[in-house]
Amino acid sequence: MKKVKMLFTALMLLAVSVAYAQNITVKGTVKEPTGEPVIGASVLQQGTMNGVVTDLEGSYSLTVP
């Protein structure tokens, strides 16, 4: 019975950790102060190498944990 409780607890902890490990998508547009889009700007997640480059309209979409 003790092994069953330990297994159940381990499975519950795994399920909770998977639920918190969801990704979100951050979208936006990089513009000059004049309102013109910035083409080819690098957008990076702080402290990581996760990043993208803006498109011809200055838009980007970055998936982060």
Side-chain angles (χ1 to χ4, degrees):
M1 189 66 160
K2 188 174 182 178
K3 287 184 181 181
V4 173
K5 286 183 181 180
M6 287 177 53
L7 179 61
F8 178 75
T9 302
L11 289 175
M12 291 305 293
L13 288 173
L14 179 63
V16 169
S17 66
V18 169
Y20 281 108
Q22 301 298 316
N23 292 332
I24 62 168
T25 301
V26 179
K27 298 179 181 181
T29 305
V30 179
K31 294 184 178 182
E32 294 280 354
T34 60
E36 293 294 316
V38 178
I39 300 168
S42 297
V43 179
L44 297 172
Q45 179 184 352
Q46 188 173 2
T48 71
M49 296 298 291
N50 186 22
V52 294
V53 177
T54 58
D55 63 14
L56 294 174
E57 297 168 354
S59 299
Y60 66 90
S61 178
L62 180 64
T63 302
V64 297

